[in-house]
């Protein structure tokens, strides 16, 4: 087992697939840019999910076939997408009424850091020369019923992303419900980080070693998010 | 899989409980979900707070719900009606309370409730009796009132067409309060004159996206309140 | 000249026609219920006005022909109307965004009383047994750029409706710009009521006698509203 | 009679003055009114405050306006772009100020400005650096920030179809900020790929009613920003 890289634990696709298993049938879901977008590929058999993209589309479908895209049909990552049967377009204020008003069931986001209280930092490194850019992240964490984070367990330099308290600028306070990493699935409980499931070949001690705050063992009865 | 259809209006309103807050769409008879209201009368829930622009006419629809004694409080902008003594009698006898809200403030409070905005400031009603007890604050040299968002346990509305996911379009000025009430209801129940499969409504012209809708029931030939009143109908 | 009735001055239709002359071409106009609705019949030649009805229609047309109405196409007075080419339907919150946001040029309303400061009372007699009902009146006076009142100069009992200060519950403070009565056209200026024009056969003294506050004579240069 | 057509884009933007606040529609390239922005570059107004979700890409459209040194302040949610160094250079050198606003708060502030709501409360951004200096108030056990409405002297947007009265429909996700910006602009200027007579847009599917629109100019084949950037285009 090496300290860096993804030679152990789940691949990106496996992380996305594992997260997708926890999305109930009929959910209205917003997927953040990057790794979260992968989740859409792994809808479990028999479930129907409806994807929202905050730039103004409910019922987002996959990328268009080569040559069939419309530069005015894009997702929040500014990539061309499609609209499924039953889709609808709406303006930004209506789109964020869905978000802020608590109408979305789940949002999946990336993270720079998650604290044991569930604080999320995912929009800025806070450097003096950084161009700050927030998009809809703060609205999403403030409004969506459940927030799942999907991220590598550690940074490329091996620093833990699950920490006692965030050092990067916050996106929201006490907003994260679960974290899906290459090593484990972890719930954010009032008592702190609690292990839900380990990736194959990974043990509790390894995850604890790579986590910047105390990790609680798997609960005997795992309550559902 | 997503299928929000209820088998009939009785099933659609079956979860309404005593003491619930209910938004009911419509401006006058336009957009009033009469069949859902009648199902609610049959269902029996009482001590309701109803948020609706008017108080119905005759003794059908909303007026019949009031007459049945199920409504302890009305939140509305215009409870006077040409063809009904139902609400005036209840109001004068103290059996139904009234919170009178200017129509635009009512609409915006409902939208705010649905949009997760707990409160906003508006210049409407400053200096009038409807400002009594409200916080006033000055913006850009103008006094404004603080108004709170409104939400409901249930919303009952009428659409021209729905798909089984709950996407809606309305008919002309029957649209009125329904889109914002759909947003503000925890459980939004829709009666639709046409019920189609997802994809049969152009995504550019969906007025209420499915995310705001919980139950859809097909009511192919909805009654018009004015016709019922003219015919002397009563409910039940 | 009698104290009551309309045997002198303008008829209801003449009042509406006189008011209509003062509406600029291209205006977006909301007409209140009752006498204000009459104004729509008198659009001067060569002008195009767009009527808004706050229950959710811009581009309102006249009543439908017998048998061609739709009970779901009505105006704020709950009467069946039509939609003109270029019309649009929208929900209540959008409709009042037009009003509150200052997008309408003019609203014509009836009145119980208008004070010399421009306060309007038009929604309630304030009696203990009255069923209070306000509709959109308070939103309209708070949001529309110009407020014209059209009303008989006095009540049926001969009491002045233009008064020093209103005794009925207010609709809004300092909101009325002009008053069109059976006897005169009167502007509300910072200095008070100012006569703009007398109906045929009516003189200043008569209007002053029937007005419950001081009336200023016609200004030498009449500024436009 | 009502005819809001401008002869060309130059005429459409001719009134813009130095120091004006301008809202510009679009999310990324979708809905960006490139031809109107280029006309604004030609027109010459400077010291502008621009409210737009992004800062453009390449050296066309909004990025070109920035590069031309006309913008003293940007109000936006996401100024980072994949294909541009224009804004970063201006920001780091202090030549263009930035007010960063969460995307949903930005949209709602614009809607509030257009709807005559001077301020509202929102839970978004509580506890973050973007809450610095903002009033906080608790509603229903939750802290919220007071946010103010935004208006502009001019709004520039792109529509798929307009009529000569200014009724608009949009194309797919190019709708984004345009309907609320149309409401919030004192003078709202629209470039439309199709221009038709009143009555040729179904009143049920009008997205922006004419009352919010002041000028309409026909731009039959609007450029796409990504295609211009890919081709290495610059403006002027």
């Amino acid at each position: 087992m090496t300290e860096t890289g993804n030679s152990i634990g789940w691949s990106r696709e496996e992380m996305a697939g594992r997260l997708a298993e926890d999305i109930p049938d009929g959910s209205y879901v917003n997927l953040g840019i990057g790794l979260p977008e992968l989740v859409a590929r792994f809808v479990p058999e028999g479930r129907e999910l409806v994807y929202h993209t905050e730039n103004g589309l409910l019922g987002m479908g996959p990328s268009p076939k080569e040559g069939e895209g419309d530069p005015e049909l894009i997702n929040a990552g500014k990539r061309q997408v499609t609209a499924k049967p039953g889709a609808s377009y709406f303006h930004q204020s209506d789109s964020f009424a869905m978000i802020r008003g608590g109408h979305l069931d789940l949002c999946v986001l990336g993270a720079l850091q998650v604290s044991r209280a569930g604080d999320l930092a995912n929009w800025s490194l806070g450097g003096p020369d950084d161009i700050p850019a927030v998009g809809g992240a703060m609205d999403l964490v403030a409004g969506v019923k459940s927030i799942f984070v999907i991220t590598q367990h550690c940074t490329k330099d091996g620093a833990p992303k699950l920490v006692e308290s965030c050092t990067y600028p916050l996106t929201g306070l006490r907003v994260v419900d679960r974290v899906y990493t290459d090593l484990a699935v972890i719930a954010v409980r009032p008592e702190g980080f609690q292990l839900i499931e380990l990736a194959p070949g990974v043990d509790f001690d390894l995850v604890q070693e790579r986590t910047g705050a105390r990790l609680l063992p798997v609960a005997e009865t795992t309550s559902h998010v | 899989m997503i299928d929000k259809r209820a088998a009939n209006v009785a099933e659609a309103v079956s979860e309404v409980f005593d003491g619930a807050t209910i938004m009911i769409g419509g401006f006058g008879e336009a957009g009033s979900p009469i069949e859902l209201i009648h199902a609610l009368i049959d269902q029996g829930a009482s001590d309701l707070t109803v948020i609706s622009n008017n108080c119905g006419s005759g003794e059908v629809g909303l007026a019949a719900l009031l007459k049945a004694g199920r409504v302890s409080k009305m939140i509305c902008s215009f409870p006077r009606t040409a063809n009904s003594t139902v609400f005036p009698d209840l109001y004068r006898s103290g059996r139904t309370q009234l919170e009178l809200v200017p129509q635009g403030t009512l609409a915006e409070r409902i939208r705010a409730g649905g949009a997760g905005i707990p409160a906003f400031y508006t210049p409407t009603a400053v200096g009038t009796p409807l400002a009594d007890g409200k916080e006033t604050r000055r913006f850009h040299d103008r006094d404004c009132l603080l108004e709170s968002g409104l939400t409901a346990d249930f919303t009952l509305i009428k659409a021209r067409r729905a798909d089984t996911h709950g996407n809606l379009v309305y008919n002309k000025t029957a649209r009125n309060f329904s889109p914002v009430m759909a947003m503000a209801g925890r459980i939004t129940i829709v009666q639709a004159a046409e019920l189609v499969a997802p994809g049969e409504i152009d995504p550019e012209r969906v007025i209420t996206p499915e995310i705001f809708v919980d139950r859809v029931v097909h009511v192919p030939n909805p009654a018009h309140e004015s016709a019922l009143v003219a015919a002397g109908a009563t409910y039940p």
Side-chain angles (χ1 to χ4, degrees), chain A residues 29-34 36-38 40-41 51-85 87-90, chain B residues 203-204:
Chain A
V29 180
N30 182 294
L31 300 176
I33 299 169
E37 291 178 69
L38 266 188
R41 291 199 208 154
Y51 295 107
H52 171 267
T53 182
E54 63 265 33
N55 54 313
L57 166 62
L58 188 70
M60 179 176 69
S63 306
K65 286 178 202 147
E66 188 66 32
E68 291 182 11
D70 181 335
E72 297 195 323
L73 176 46
I74 61 176
N75 67 9
K78 305 191 177 80
R79 267 196 283 273
Q80 291 185 16
V81 294
T82 51
K84 294 173 100 164
S88 52
Y89 300 108
F90 32 80
Chain B
E204 296 279 11

Side-chain angles (χ1 to χ4, degrees), chain A residues 162-182:
Chain A
L162 282 74
V163 295
E164 191 61 32
S165 62
C166 298
T167 54
Y168 292 129
L170 290 184
T171 309
L173 285 170
R174 293 177 297 281
V175 295
V176 177
D177 296 292
R178 285 203 179 192
V179 185
Y180 295 79
T181 79
D182 49 326

Side-chain angles (χ1 to χ4, degrees), chain A residues 8 48 50 53 58 115-116 143 186 195 202 207 209 215 219 225:
Chain A
I8 59 159
E48 185 176 16
V50 178
T53 182
L58 188 70
S115 84
R116 67 192 294 268
I186 291 168
L195 185 65
V202 174
V207 180
E209 186 192 314
L215 186 66
V225 172

Side-chain angles (χ1 to χ4, degrees), chain B residues 12-145:
Chain B
V13 302
S14 59
E15 294 163 289
V16 178
F17 49 84
D18 290 353
T21 295
I22 305 192
M23 291 182 180
I24 302 181
F27 176 90
E29 70 172 318
S32 184
I34 294 183
E35 285 76 9
L36 285 175
I37 300 170
H38 288 174
L40 182 59
I41 294 173
D42 297 342
Q43 192 259 6
S46 65
D47 190 24
L48 304 173
T49 293
V50 170
I51 302 171
S52 193
N53 192 60
N54 307 104
C55 289
S57 63
E59 295 187 9
V60 295
L62 180 50
L65 182 71
L66 282 156
K67 179 148 177 119
R70 304 292 175 70
V71 181
S72 53
K73 183 176 179 184
M74 279 298 313
I75 301 178
C76 72
S77 89
F78 206 87
R80 272 203 305 256
T81 57
N83 297 304
S84 179
T85 55
V86 170
F87 182 77
D89 288 350
L90 289 166
Y91 177 74
R92 292 196 181 107
S93 67
R95 279 173 292 162
T96 300
Q97 287 180 275
L98 171 65
E99 179 179 342
L100 191 72
V101 183
Q103 192 173 335
T105 297
L106 181 63
E108 193 63 21
R109 288 180 65 190
I110 295 167
R111 181 189 175 279
I117 294 182
F120 61 91
Y121 289 94
T122 173
T124 299
V126 167
T128 78
L130 298 191
D132 289 353
K134 292 191 192 277
E135 179 180 320
T136 304
R137 183 162 172 170
R138 214 165 167 77
F139 294 92
H140 316 302
D141 292 326
R142 190 150 190 221
D143 285 331
C144 291
L145 303 181

